[in-house]
Amino acid sequence: MAAISLSKLNKHYGTLFHAVKDVDLEIADKEFVALVGPSGCGKSTTLRMIAGLEDVTSGEIRIGGQLVNHLPPRDRDVAMVFQNYALYQHMSVYDNLAFGLRNKRVAEREIKAAIDRAADILGLHELLQRKPKQLSGGQQQRVALGRCIVRNPRVFLFDEPLSNLDAKLRARMRIEIKRLHAQIPTTSVFVTHDQIEAMTLGDRVVIMRDGRVQQIGTPLAVYERPANRFVAGFIGAPAMNFIDVTVRRGADAMAVEAAGLRLTVTAADARALAPHDGRQVVMGVRPEHLVLGDSASGFSFDARVEVVEQLGSEILLETRVGADSLTVARVPAEMKVARGDQVRLSAQVGRLHFFDPESELPISG
Ligand code: ATP
């Protein structure tokens, strides 16, 4: 069993900089958790503390129930994959894979069996005699993964392992890592600044900002019920649109208004917004929840198309709503729209988000 538990984990660099702040996180045995957030949010520092590469300022780290704060990395039984692969350039792939086991004086026969198994899983057989510089980036990263597999550790730690690869290869390696986790279910923590990577790989996603955890949840939960405006804007691509609106109670319905925009809200949203009547709130709507065309129920508004991005599979529209609100809608590729067109956009019912402008917390029913 190798559950990981982080309790009130803090990291200070010197006296001035507080990089990781009171992080609490329970990772179940065999779970795959992705740590995601913008550059500098403390995700790598958190991972490096789990690995033992960084001292803990305060708080506790447990792996498999054991307090590991003061254990050196080699005694934690974790394997780490780095962005720069960290392969020994003068050794063959085979010797790179064997290195850790030879250090532990494992018999060559056993080492060969472990390497065969890793090579089967990762398709490395024809590369075993090459040197790392004779490999592509993707192949080198597969070797780095292989080196972790042969050690059969309790925990895999990934520090932005796909960042050096091009977009296509990243997508392929993502699938390989997912397949690997299915074949060898091992507790894994994966650090990335790429929310798509986090969402596709993680059983759960941990979103961090400025050293603090913002939300922990399944990919669907953080997408559908973001804990604050930051998470709402960070998760999802293209990002959620935000518009400042004023809440207005009408004769028979509640609405939100901005220049050139008046939207009726659902009964549930109306209940949540009632205490904000007459005040400004932030409305969030995801591009994929805006539909081109009118809807009968007061959820539509006028917009002028400013930019059309034809992606083949879909179109992204940059539109101006009223005086200054810019929004993006994601519409089917076959739609006929051009720059300068006046269009009607409709928000899908129940897909509007509202946030308090000060606390940035959701206003929800
Ligand atoms: P990135 O995606 O850019 O790697 P990150 O979220 O992984 O970002 P960390 O590497 O954990 O961020 O760094 C968190 C903060 O701590 C950053 O502001 C960074 O500058 C700072 N930091 C990291 N290492 C040190 C160090 N050795 N000394 C001082 N400050 C550091």
Side-chain angles (χ1 to χ4, degrees), residues 88-93 96 127-135 140:
Y88 298 110
Q89 294 299 320
H90 61 288
M91 291 184 191
S92 68
V93 168
N96 264 285
L127 308 177
L128 290 175
Q129 298 317 317
R130 291 202 206 164
K131 297 270 172 58
K133 66 171 180 304
Q134 298 168 310
L135 303 176
Q140 291 193 49

Side-chain angles (χ1 to χ4, degrees), residues 11-14 17-20 36-48 54 83 159-160 191-193 208 211:
K11 176 69 185 180
H12 290 267
Y13 286 112
F17 195 70
H18 196 175
V20 174
V36 67
S39 184
C41 71
K43 52 197 187 300
S44 294
T45 302
T46 303
L47 191 79
R48 291 170 62 82
E54 210 64 80
Q83 179 176 346
D159 193 2
E160 304 244 15
V191 160
T192 176
H193 60 269
M208 292 184 72

Side-chain angles (χ1 to χ4, degrees), residues 21-93:
K21 299 168 186 164
D22 287 333
V23 167
D24 288 318
L25 177 61
E26 299 292 329
I27 301 173
D29 184 40
K30 301 185 172 54
E31 190 179 20
F32 198 116
V33 163
L35 293 187
V36 67
S39 184
C41 71
K43 52 197 187 300
S44 294
T45 302
T46 303
L47 191 79
R48 291 170 62 82
M49 285 194 281
I50 299 172
L53 301 173
E54 210 64 80
D55 289 338
V56 170
T57 307
S58 67
E60 291 186 344
I61 301 178
R62 290 173 192 276
I63 300 179
Q66 180 193 14
L67 186 67
V68 299
N69 283 40
H70 301 294
L71 273 190
R74 65 175 179 281
D75 295 335
R76 295 191 186 195
D77 199 9
V78 302
M80 192 147 166
V81 187
F82 297 92
Q83 179 176 346
N84 61 5
Y85 323 131
L87 300 176
Y88 298 110
Q89 294 299 320
H90 61 288
M91 291 184 191
S92 68
V93 168

